[in-house]
Amino acid sequence: MIIRNATEEDITGILDIYNEVILNTTSVYSEHPHTYDMRLAWYRDRIGIGFPVFVADDDGMVIGFSSFGHFRVWPCYRYTVENSVYVHAGHRGKGISKLLMQPLIDRAREMGLHAMIAGIDADNEVSYRLHQSFGFVEVAHFKEVGFKFGRWLDLKFMELSPL
């Protein structure tokens, strides 16, 4: 398995992972699967503004992906990004998310960014511990700000700053 920059040929694999996360977890506060065109537009937007999209490639199969995007769209937030790391359901628990996280942090540093934020469902201990292992600290806990699967969800923000 290798971690590499994503290409447009990886969109189907990225889409499959993302939609499984939407449909079966609270890692994404969305209820409706994305289309191929939505994920392609997302990819082109990220690449077009110079933000990375990495994939974990296991013999040609995308088994995970990571990226970061704007934390907020206003100009004064331009040195802060929010990360995303997702792994295929059949490959979770194998350390792939750790391999996808480090290149994000390295790229953010190379770009002269100052802070990276992670929005994590409060019940997602695996993601919380992953981010903690890279030096992220909890900076906020929002109560009942999401609603999915018939229940209210709490959201935690973690921050790595300075990068």
Side-chain angles (χ1 to χ4, degrees):
M1 192 219 21
I2 60 167
I3 306 299
R4 61 171 174 77
N5 288 308
T7 67
E8 289 192 8
E9 288 75 33
D10 298 315
I11 300 303
T12 299
I14 290 170
L15 176 66
D16 290 345
I17 292 167
Y18 198 67
N19 281 342
E20 187 278 327
V21 169
I22 289 172
L23 293 171
N24 299 306
T25 78
T26 56
S27 294
V28 175
Y29 285 15
S30 181
E31 298 167 316
H32 304 288
H34 284 200
T35 65
Y36 179 88
D37 289 341
M38 291 167 73
R39 274 289 98 177
L40 181 60
W42 167 85
Y43 171 81
R44 288 179 175 167
D45 178 64
R46 294 284 165 103
I47 298 304
I49 57 178
F51 287 170
V53 178
F54 297 108
V55 293
D57 180 327
D58 187 15
D59 198 27
M61 179 182 171
V62 174
I63 59 172
F65 72 96
S66 63
S67 186
F68 58 71
H70 295 291
F71 173 64
R72 297 287 184 263
V73 296
W74 298 287
C76 293
Y77 289 106
R78 68 185 168 273
Y79 296 105
T80 303
V81 291
E82 184 171 359
N83 73 3
S84 300
V85 179
Y86 302 105
V87 175
H88 184 279
H91 295 275
R92 293 181 189 139
K94 299 177 181 178
I96 296 166
S97 57
K98 287 182 181 180
L99 298 174
L100 287 162
M101 179 71 84
Q102 190 62 58
L104 289 181
I105 295 169
D106 294 343
R107 184 69 57 87
R109 287 179 177 143
E110 290 168 11
M111 294 174 66
L113 298 174
H114 183 72
M116 185 176 288
I117 306 296
I120 301 170
D121 181 78
D123 290 337
N124 190 339
E125 283 295 319
V126 172
S127 184
Y128 190 90
R129 285 192 310 270
L130 167 72
H131 285 82
Q132 227 175 14
S133 75
F134 281 92
F136 285 73
V137 294
E138 185 176 329
V139 294
H141 186 137
F142 301 101
K143 302 284 187 175
E144 298 184 354
V145 294
F147 189 83
K148 187 173 180 180
F149 301 136
R151 63 187 174 94
W152 289 105
L153 306 174
D154 289 5
L155 178 68
K156 292 183 179 184
F157 271 10
M158 297 183 80
E159 178 182 19
L160 180 62
S161 176
L163 283 167

